[in-house]
Amino acid sequence: MIRLLSLLPLWLLLLGPAPTSGAAAPAKPAAIIRIDPTFWWVGMKNPKLQLLVYGPGIGQSTASLKYEGVTLDGTQKLENPNYLVLNLTIGSAAKPGKLPLEFKGAKKVKFDYELRARSTPGDKSKVQGIDGSDFIYLLMPDRFANGNPKNDIVKGMRAPGIARDSMFSRHGGDLKGIEDHFGYLKELGVTAIWPTPVVENDEPKASYHGYAVTDWYKIDPRYGSNDDYVRFVQNAHQQGLKVVHDVVLNHMGTSGYLVKDAPAKDWFHQWNEFTKSNFRDAAFNDPYVSRYDRKQFGEGWFDKHMADLNQSNPLVANYLIQNFLWWVEYTGLDGYRVDTYTYSDRQFLMDWGKAILDEYPQLGMFAETWVQGTGQQAYFARNIFPEVQGFKSNMPGVLDFQLQYAMNEALTRDAGWTEGINKLYYTMQTDWMYENPQRNVVFLDNHDVSRFYSVIGEDFNKFKMGMAWLLTTRGTPQLYYGTEVLMKNYSNPDGKVREDFPGGWPGDKENRFTKAGRSAQQNEAFDYVSRLAQYRKTHPVLHTGKYMHFIPDAGVYTYFRYNDAGETVMVVMNAGKEEKTVDTARMAERLNGFASAAEITTGATVSDLKALKVPAYTAWVLELKK
C-alpha cells in the first residue's frame, strides 16, 4: 500500500482528488465563505483590484455590481468551482463605502465588500522605512515573552497546546509580551523590531516559527488579533520603535484553505511523489545547470507541510502582491524582511518588488539570501550587473550572510593571507558589486544558525569585538534576541537557539530583562551593547558615513567611518592572541588633523594616535578629536 501511494501524484496524497472543472461538477447553491483581500482602499496608485471569491459553487455564478467609480472588468472561473475571480478597477471617483457585489446562480447571493479610505499617505508616523540609522532586534514571538496567557490555547486550532519543554511545540509568547518589553528594547538602543512571521500558522506540528502560513490575511490568534497587531504597530511608533514584518513568498502551510481546497492544481508545484528542494541556490543562475536541478531547486517543496507556490501563475502572483500591499496599508508597518527570497520565480520577484515599491517607495525591504559567495549574494540585491538569465533584482538590500561568515571566521581562526580577520577585509572589498551596500543588514546570528556566543567559545572579549563591529560597520545592524545577555547554544541537533528568553514567562527562575535578574557578566554585556547602540543612534557618521579600511597587518584590522561634517570614528580590531602595537603612519590620510581620541565604550582618552597598543582580542571604537 505504501509503495502504491508513493506513485500517486502529490496532489492526491496531500489534497485528495483534484478539483474538476465547473462544467463537470454538480451544481451547488452558491454561498460566500470569504473574499481575499478581505477589504481594500480607494485612492491606491494602482487602480486594479483582483478579488478571489471563495464559497461552495460560487464559480457557477455570474457577478455584477453597481457603485460609482468602480467597474467590473470581467470574471474568471477556475478549475475548482468553489472559486470565482473578479477583476475590478477602483477609479478616482470612488468613495469609501460598501461595494454591493451580487452573484446569480442556483440562488442569488449578495456581499457588501468594504472600500476604506487610505491612512498612510501624508502620515509620517506610518511606513517610516528602515535604513542605516536603525538597530533591528530580531525575535521569535512565541519564544520572547507571554503577555496574555488567555490566548495560549485557542479552541479549534490544530496544535494541541503549549509545551515549553519541547523545542518544536508552541510556548505561548505573543504580541502583548513583546509590547510589555518595549522599555527593555529602548534601553538597549533598539530602534526597530523584527518578529518572525505573525500571520496564522494553523499547522498541527512546529507551527511556532511562523513560516508555514495558513491564512494570509489573519494574525495568528495565539499572538493576538488583527486589531491587536494594528495597535502593536501604532504603539511601537509612539515609543520610537519601527516594525519589520516577516514575509514568506515561496510557500504556505498545507493546512490552509487554499491548499486543502485549492483553486486549481497549478496554484502549487506538483510532483508525482513528494520532492524536496535541493536547496542549492546556485541552480537559480548557474549557466550550466540541468533542467532537473533548476526545477528541483525552485519547485521542490521546503517540507511536507509547506506547499510550494507556483508564482508563474498570474493569479497566484497577484494574490501575493495584493496581500503584501494590504498589510502595509492596513498597519502602517515600516519594512519587509523577505524569507527564502532566492527560491521564488524570477519574473515574480521582479514584479512583486516593483509593485510594492511603486506604491510605498519609502518602505524598507531586505531579503534573506543564505547563499555562498558575495557575487551570488549581490545578484539577489540591487547591483551593478546587467540582467542575468532574465533576472535583475530590485531588492534594495539583503541579509549579509557573507559578512556573518567572515566575522565568525575572524574570531575563530588565526589570520592568514585570506583567512581569519583577513576574510573580513576581503569580504568588505567585494562591496563594489552592490548598487548601495549600506542597504544591507549585517548580523552575527539569527534563528537559523548557532548563537554567536557559542560560536566564539563563550569568550567574552570576542563577544565585545563582535558587538563593536556590528554597531560600527556599514549597513543596518540586526541583533538576535538574547544575544545581548549572552544566550547561547547551537542550531543542531536540537534547535536550542530558539529557547525562551529568560524572564518572559511568570515563574521563570531567572529574569534577564532586569538588571537584578542578570549576572555581573550578563549586565556587562548588556551595558556594552547599549552604550554602543545609544552612541550610534545619535551619531549619523555611523548611519551614512563613508567607509575606509586598511589591509590587516599582523591580525589587526582598522577601518574608519567619516563624513563631510567632520565626524570620524576609527575602529581598531586586534583578532590576535597577543597585544599588538599599531603603527598608524600609513593611515595619515584619515588621521591628519586629529590629535586624540575618546574610546566610546570605556570613556578612556587616547592622547597619542601615532602608536596604539591594543590588547589581544580587543576592539577599540575611537571618536577622533582635533
Side-chain angles (χ1 to χ4, degrees):
M1 184 65 176
I2 295 174
R3 183 177 178 82
L4 288 173
L5 284 174
S6 69
L7 297 176
L8 292 174
L10 189 59
W11 175 269
L12 295 177
L13 288 173
L14 292 175
L15 311 180
T20 57
S21 67
K28 296 180 181 179
I32 294 175
I33 296 174
R34 64 183 289 164
I35 295 180
D36 290 343
T38 53
F39 53 83
W40 202 248
W41 296 267
V42 297
M44 298 289 278
K45 293 178 183 177
N46 183 354
K48 300 297 183 180
L49 174 62
Q50 191 169 80
L51 300 181
L52 183 67
V53 185
Y54 176 57
I58 197 66
Q60 298 177 358
S61 304
T62 57
S64 62
L65 66 86
K66 290 183 179 179
Y67 194 87
E68 185 177 358
V70 179
T71 58
L72 175 60
D73 300 327
T75 64
Q76 184 174 347
K77 294 183 178 183
L78 303 181
E79 186 177 1
N80 185 338
N82 295 333
Y83 291 88
L84 184 66
V85 173
L86 307 186
N87 295 309
L88 309 181
T89 298
I90 314 296
S92 58
K95 304 295 183 185
K98 300 292 186 179
L99 180 65
L101 301 175
E102 189 171 293
F103 301 86
K104 292 181 180 179
K107 66 177 183 178
K108 184 183 295 185
V109 177
K110 294 183 178 181
F111 190 98
D112 287 335
Y113 186 80
E114 185 180 7
L115 290 177
R116 296 185 176 185
R118 296 189 68 182
S119 61
T120 57
D123 188 342
K124 293 185 178 179
S125 70
K126 297 182 177 181
V127 199
Q128 298 173 37
I130 300 292
D131 57 36
S133 67
D134 287 305
F135 179 27
I136 302 171
Y137 193 85
L138 163 62
L139 56 85
M140 304 194 78
D142 184 62
R143 305 297 165 87
F144 190 64
N146 189 350
N148 180 14
K150 293 180 180 179
N151 63 21
D152 288 355
I153 300 175
V154 176
K155 187 177 180 179
M157 301 202 78
R158 293 176 176 85
I162 60 172
R164 291 186 67 198
D165 59 350
S166 168
M167 290 307 300
F168 299 99
S169 297
R170 298 193 76 96
H171 291 191
D174 49 35
L175 292 171
K176 183 63 166 58
I178 303 170
E179 194 168 342
D180 287 345
H181 295 94
F182 279 174
Y184 171 85
L185 299 176
K186 290 175 66 178
E187 182 185 1
L188 184 60
V190 167
T191 68
I193 308 165
W194 160 21
T196 51
V198 294
V199 291
E200 183 193 87
N201 272 240
D202 191 15
E203 291 292 328
K205 296 181 180 179
S207 66
Y208 72 94
H209 54 66
Y211 291 101
V213 182
T214 53
D215 190 330
W216 297 89
Y217 286 92
K218 184 180 179 182
I219 295 298
D220 196 298
R222 292 160 294 193
Y223 293 149
S225 66
N226 280 23
D227 288 343
D228 289 333
Y229 188 52
V230 172
R231 284 190 293 269
F232 175 84
V233 175
Q234 290 173 344
N235 292 339
H237 288 166
Q238 290 170 5
Q239 293 292 318
L241 297 167
K242 300 176 183 179
V243 176
V244 176
H245 188 87
D246 208 336
V247 170
V248 184
L249 300 176
N250 180 68
H251 49 264
M252 69 172 291
T254 53
S255 295
Y257 88 95
L258 286 172
V259 182
K260 295 178 76 67
D261 191 21
K265 290 190 293 293
D266 66 355
W267 271 58
F268 303 96
H269 290 126
Q270 305 295 332
W271 298 78
N272 289 332
E273 58 184 1
F274 174 72
T275 303
K276 263 191 176 184
S277 172
N278 53 33
F279 306 109
R280 298 285 188 170
D281 59 274
F284 193 103
N285 56 0
D286 179 359
Y288 313 112
V289 70
S290 66
R291 286 191 298 272
Y292 181 86
D293 287 345
R294 176 67 184 89
K295 179 179 173 67
Q296 186 181 1
F297 170 70
E299 300 182 16
W301 289 28
F302 243 66
D303 212 333
K304 288 185 177 180
H305 68 290
M306 294 179 176
D308 201 77
L309 287 156
N310 178 17
Q311 299 145 342
S312 64
N313 179 333
L315 295 177
V316 176
N318 206 44
Y319 185 93
L320 294 170
I321 288 169
Q322 290 184 160
N323 177 252
F324 293 110
L325 291 171
W326 188 90
W327 279 112
V328 180
E329 189 65 32
Y330 177 47
T331 66
L333 60 84
D334 305 292
Y336 277 149
R337 176 266 186 181
V338 185
D339 181 68
T340 53
Y341 183 75
T342 62
Y343 293 82
S344 292
D345 178 81
R346 291 179 176 92
Q347 187 60 51
F348 166 74
L349 288 178
M350 293 187 289
D351 292 344
W352 184 86
K354 183 179 186 304
I356 301 298
L357 293 173
D358 280 354
E359 194 72 52
Y360 304 102
Q362 75 276 32
L363 183 75
M365 287 212 306
F366 56 95
E368 179 191 33
T369 50
W370 197 351
V371 302
Q372 299 298 321
T374 308
Q376 186 73 345
Q377 182 170 283
Y379 173 77
F380 290 104
R382 288 183 182 171
N383 55 56
I384 67 167
F385 308 145
E387 182 178 288
V388 177
Q389 296 188 14
F391 181 67
K392 177 67 173 173
S393 180
N394 52 25
M395 180 58 57
V398 294
L399 281 160
D400 207 327
F401 275 87
Q402 309 314 307
L403 279 177
Q404 191 256 353
Y405 302 154
M407 193 60 195
N408 279 351
E409 179 165 326
L411 296 178
T412 56
R413 291 187 66 181
D414 292 339
W417 188 258
T418 59
E419 297 81 29
I421 196 73
N422 288 289
K423 182 169 184 177
L424 187 58
Y425 167 79
Y426 278 110
T427 303
M428 287 296 298
Q429 176 268 334
T430 57
D431 269 3
W432 61 268
M433 300 183 193
Y434 300 101
E435 180 183 279
N436 184 356
Q438 295 275 24
R439 299 191 191 114
N440 287 357
V441 173
V442 293
F443 65 102
L444 292 165
D445 54 7
N446 63 25
H447 57 298
D448 288 323
V449 301
S450 296
R451 282 192 174 270
F452 176 63
Y453 196 48
S454 291
V455 169
I456 57 174
E458 299 179 30
D459 186 313
F460 192 62
N461 287 329
K462 291 181 179 180
F463 169 84
K464 291 193 290 185
M465 286 187 72
M467 293 301 121
W469 169 81
L470 179 71
L471 289 161
T472 59
T473 192
R474 65 100 176 107
T476 304
Q478 170 248 296
L479 190 74
Y480 185 42
Y481 78 97
T483 298
E484 73 280 6
V485 289
L486 305 181
M487 285 183 70
K488 57 189 178 182
N489 242 307
Y490 296 92
S491 56
N492 288 318
D494 50 16
K496 286 189 176 180
V497 298
R498 301 177 178 184
E499 288 179 313
D500 298 340
F501 192 108
W505 279 252
D508 280 359
K509 292 181 179 179
E510 61 174 327
N511 184 2
R512 296 193 200 179
F513 283 116
T514 68
K515 186 173 184 178
R518 298 190 288 261
S519 70
Q521 192 169 65
Q522 289 162 3
N523 273 318
E524 186 179 352
F526 180 92
D527 291 345
Y528 187 86
V529 176
S530 177
R531 193 174 299 116
L532 278 170
Q534 298 292 357
Y535 178 85
R536 187 181 189 281
K537 189 185 296 185
T538 58
H539 288 76
V541 69
L542 295 178
H543 310 161
T544 57
K546 298 173 185 177
Y547 189 103
M548 180 182 290
H549 63 179
F550 290 81
I551 296 171
D553 182 31
V556 179
Y557 177 52
T558 303
Y559 59 91
F560 294 80
R561 302 298 306 278
Y562 60 102
N563 60 22
D564 295 337
E567 285 186 292
T568 298
V569 172
M570 176 184 187
V571 182
V572 186
M573 299 175 62
N574 179 6
K577 301 173 183 177
E578 300 175 351
E579 178 183 87
K580 298 290 173 62
T581 298
V582 180
D583 183 349
T584 63
R586 66 184 177 125
M587 305 172 192
E589 61 193 288
R590 292 269 54 90
L591 288 173
N592 282 345
F594 294 105
S596 63
E599 209 289 317
I600 301 306
T601 64
T602 62
T605 298
V606 178
S607 56
D608 183 5
L609 297 176
K610 294 179 181 178
L612 304 175
K613 289 187 177 182
V614 185
Y617 298 128
T618 297
W620 283 356
V621 181
L622 304 174
E623 180 183 314
L624 300 187
K625 308 285 186 179
K626 293 188 176 181

